[in-house]
Amino acid sequence: YLSRLHTIGHQPGTLLPLCALFESLVTTTAPHVSYHLAQLGPDAAPLRIAFPWIVTGFVGHLKVDQVLSLWDRIVGFGSVHLIAVLAAAIFAFRARLVLSAKTVEELDFVFQDLTSLQAIPLLQGFLFAPELASGAGGDAELRRDR
């Protein structure tokens, strides 16, 4: 599965379709975030931030136990699409922080450390809880970061 993340092609599960899926999910579930990032300029493109997560399958970005939980689901479902879904879920979860960013540097700071995130609850919330997918889920994290 990991080798698919380094394959540039149009086949499902390779890098380009995963990037397109991520961008589509962010645009669809958090249009206000997409608009805000577009206003910040091309350096604030969501894919610029999420690309390292996608190409590495979150290895080195999440805690080891979270990466293993994620990859357990990837192997179990037989699809790397969960990587793009998790990347979009992180954007939706941190939507309020993203919307408060006024510069690209502030935006980078919002996503600098993902080690506090729990992959499976984020995936479940994004897929099954409409309030997280609409960007309202980052309140707890916003309060914790203050």
Side-chain angles (χ1 to χ4, degrees):
Y1 292 104
L2 190 58
S3 65
R4 293 182 193 169
L5 303 179
H6 299 252
T7 303
I8 298 176
H10 66 283
Q11 299 84 8
T14 57
L15 190 57
L16 295 179
L18 285 176
C19 291
L21 175 61
F22 163 75
E23 287 183 323
S24 174
L25 288 170
V26 170
T27 302
T28 303
T29 60
H32 53 295
V33 170
S34 295
Y35 179 77
H36 178 70
L37 294 177
Q39 296 300 311
L40 290 178
D43 288 338
L47 188 57
R48 183 191 66 83
I49 294 164
F51 187 79
W53 310 339
I54 293 170
V55 81
T56 62
F58 284 96
V59 173
H61 300 281
L62 296 173
K63 287 184 180 176
V64 173
D65 64 323
Q66 296 306 306
V67 172
L68 292 174
S69 293
L70 171 64
W71 278 90
D72 182 55
R73 270 59 173 198
I74 290 169
V75 172
F77 288 115
S79 172
V80 293
H81 289 106
L82 289 176
I83 294 170
V85 175
L86 179 58
I90 292 170
F91 268 79
F93 182 69
R94 292 198 170 165
R96 292 181 190 253
L97 295 173
V98 170
L99 292 173
S100 69
K102 304 293 184 225
T103 65
V104 174
E105 292 77 21
E106 289 176 6
L107 180 66
D108 288 339
F109 184 73
V110 168
F111 295 106
Q112 182 177 5
D113 182 20
L114 304 180
T115 58
S116 65
L117 299 178
Q118 301 288 313
I120 304 312
L122 267 176
L123 280 170
Q124 290 172 337
F126 185 75
L127 292 170
F128 304 115
E131 66 275 1
L132 180 59
S134 66
D139 288 341
E141 187 168 86
L142 179 61
R143 286 190 295 272
R144 185 173 57 240
D145 288 346
R146 285 188 181 168

